[in-house]
mmCIF file of all heavy atoms in Angstrom:
data_model
loop_
_atom_site.group_PDB
_atom_site.id
_atom_site.type_symbol
_atom_site.label_atom_id
_atom_site.label_comp_id
_atom_site.label_asym_id
_atom_site.label_seq_id
_atom_site.Cartn_x
_atom_site.Cartn_y
_atom_site.Cartn_z
ATOM 1 N N GLU A 170 80.910 129.268 153.131
ATOM 2 C CA GLU A 170 81.234 130.528 153.796
ATOM 3 C C GLU A 170 81.190 131.694 152.809
ATOM 4 O O GLU A 170 80.691 132.775 153.130
ATOM 5 C CB GLU A 170 82.619 130.427 154.434
ATOM 6 C CG GLU A 170 82.666 129.487 155.633
ATOM 7 C CD GLU A 170 84.072 129.307 156.169
ATOM 8 O OE1 GLU A 170 84.941 128.810 155.416
ATOM 9 O OE2 GLU A 170 84.298 129.657 157.340
ATOM 10 N N VAL A 171 81.727 131.478 151.617
ATOM 11 C CA VAL A 171 81.762 132.545 150.620
ATOM 12 C C VAL A 171 80.353 132.920 150.165
ATOM 13 O O VAL A 171 80.006 134.103 150.070
ATOM 14 C CB VAL A 171 82.635 132.130 149.410
ATOM 15 C CG1 VAL A 171 82.557 133.177 148.300
ATOM 16 C CG2 VAL A 171 84.086 131.931 149.838
ATOM 17 N N VAL A 172 79.537 131.907 149.881
ATOM 18 C CA VAL A 172 78.163 132.173 149.434
ATOM 19 C C VAL A 172 77.362 132.847 150.546
ATOM 20 O O VAL A 172 76.587 133.779 150.300
ATOM 21 C CB VAL A 172 77.488 130.868 148.971
ATOM 22 C CG1 VAL A 172 75.995 131.068 148.761
ATOM 23 C CG2 VAL A 172 78.142 130.360 147.696
ATOM 24 N N LYS A 173 77.548 132.383 151.757
ATOM 25 C CA LYS A 173 76.821 132.989 152.878
ATOM 26 C C LYS A 173 77.226 134.457 153.061
ATOM 27 O O LYS A 173 76.378 135.322 153.312
ATOM 28 C CB LYS A 173 77.086 132.200 154.156
ATOM 29 C CG LYS A 173 76.216 132.633 155.328
ATOM 30 C CD LYS A 173 76.371 131.686 156.493
ATOM 31 C CE LYS A 173 75.506 132.119 157.665
ATOM 32 N NZ LYS A 173 75.619 131.183 158.812
ATOM 33 N N ALA A 174 78.519 134.748 152.903
ATOM 34 C CA ALA A 174 78.984 136.132 153.020
ATOM 35 C C ALA A 174 78.393 137.020 151.925
ATOM 36 O O ALA A 174 78.246 138.235 152.107
ATOM 37 C CB ALA A 174 80.510 136.174 152.965
ATOM 38 N N ALA A 175 78.040 136.402 150.799
ATOM 39 C CA ALA A 175 77.434 137.144 149.692
ATOM 40 C C ALA A 175 75.925 137.251 149.826
ATOM 41 O O ALA A 175 75.253 137.777 148.931
ATOM 42 C CB ALA A 175 77.785 136.471 148.365
ATOM 43 N N GLY A 176 75.383 136.744 150.923
ATOM 44 C CA GLY A 176 73.955 136.873 151.178
ATOM 45 C C GLY A 176 73.134 135.647 150.854
ATOM 46 O O GLY A 176 71.901 135.680 150.938
ATOM 47 N N GLY A 177 73.777 134.536 150.472
ATOM 48 C CA GLY A 177 73.056 133.330 150.098
ATOM 49 C C GLY A 177 72.818 132.382 151.262
ATOM 50 O O GLY A 177 73.582 132.346 152.227
ATOM 51 N N HIS A 178 71.759 131.613 151.162
ATOM 52 C CA HIS A 178 71.434 130.573 152.136
ATOM 53 C C HIS A 178 72.157 129.291 151.742
ATOM 54 O O HIS A 178 72.296 128.975 150.548
ATOM 55 C CB HIS A 178 69.914 130.367 152.158
ATOM 56 C CG HIS A 178 69.447 129.267 153.056
ATOM 57 N ND1 HIS A 178 69.857 129.121 154.360
ATOM 58 C CD2 HIS A 178 68.581 128.230 152.825
ATOM 59 C CE1 HIS A 178 69.272 128.069 154.896
ATOM 60 N NE2 HIS A 178 68.497 127.508 153.987
ATOM 61 N N THR A 179 72.631 128.508 152.709
ATOM 62 C CA THR A 179 73.449 127.321 152.430
ATOM 63 C C THR A 179 72.952 126.111 153.208
ATOM 64 O O THR A 179 72.399 126.234 154.298
ATOM 65 C CB THR A 179 74.920 127.574 152.810
ATOM 66 O OG1 THR A 179 74.996 127.882 154.224
ATOM 67 C CG2 THR A 179 75.500 128.751 152.023
ATOM 68 N N ALA A 180 73.186 124.913 152.633
ATOM 69 C CA ALA A 180 72.788 123.666 153.303
ATOM 70 C C ALA A 180 73.657 122.524 152.809
ATOM 71 O O ALA A 180 74.135 122.533 151.671
ATOM 72 C CB ALA A 180 71.314 123.359 153.027
ATOM 73 N N TRP A 181 73.861 121.530 153.664
ATOM 74 C CA TRP A 181 74.612 120.332 153.282
ATOM 75 C C TRP A 181 74.167 119.161 154.143
ATOM 76 O O TRP A 181 73.817 119.330 155.324
ATOM 77 C CB TRP A 181 76.118 120.538 153.443
ATOM 78 C CG TRP A 181 76.910 119.363 152.919
ATOM 79 C CD1 TRP A 181 77.558 118.405 153.656
ATOM 80 C CD2 TRP A 181 77.109 119.005 151.549
ATOM 81 N NE1 TRP A 181 78.140 117.484 152.830
ATOM 82 C CE2 TRP A 181 77.886 117.821 151.536
ATOM 83 C CE3 TRP A 181 76.699 119.560 150.343
ATOM 84 C CZ2 TRP A 181 78.258 117.186 150.345
ATOM 85 C CZ3 TRP A 181 77.079 118.935 149.166
ATOM 86 C CH2 TRP A 181 77.839 117.774 149.166
ATOM 87 N N GLU A 182 74.210 117.960 153.555
ATOM 88 C CA GLU A 182 73.860 116.729 154.259
ATOM 89 C C GLU A 182 74.904 115.663 153.989
ATOM 90 O O GLU A 182 75.322 115.486 152.833
ATOM 91 C CB GLU A 182 72.473 116.259 153.807
ATOM 92 C CG GLU A 182 71.363 117.025 154.493
ATOM 93 C CD GLU A 182 70.248 117.450 153.562
ATOM 94 O OE1 GLU A 182 69.638 116.571 152.965
ATOM 95 O OE2 GLU A 182 70.019 118.664 153.445
#
Side-chain angles (χ1 to χ4, degrees):
E170 290 175 299
V171 174
V172 169
K173 188 171 180 179
H178 176 49
T179 60
W181 186 254
E182 280 136 60

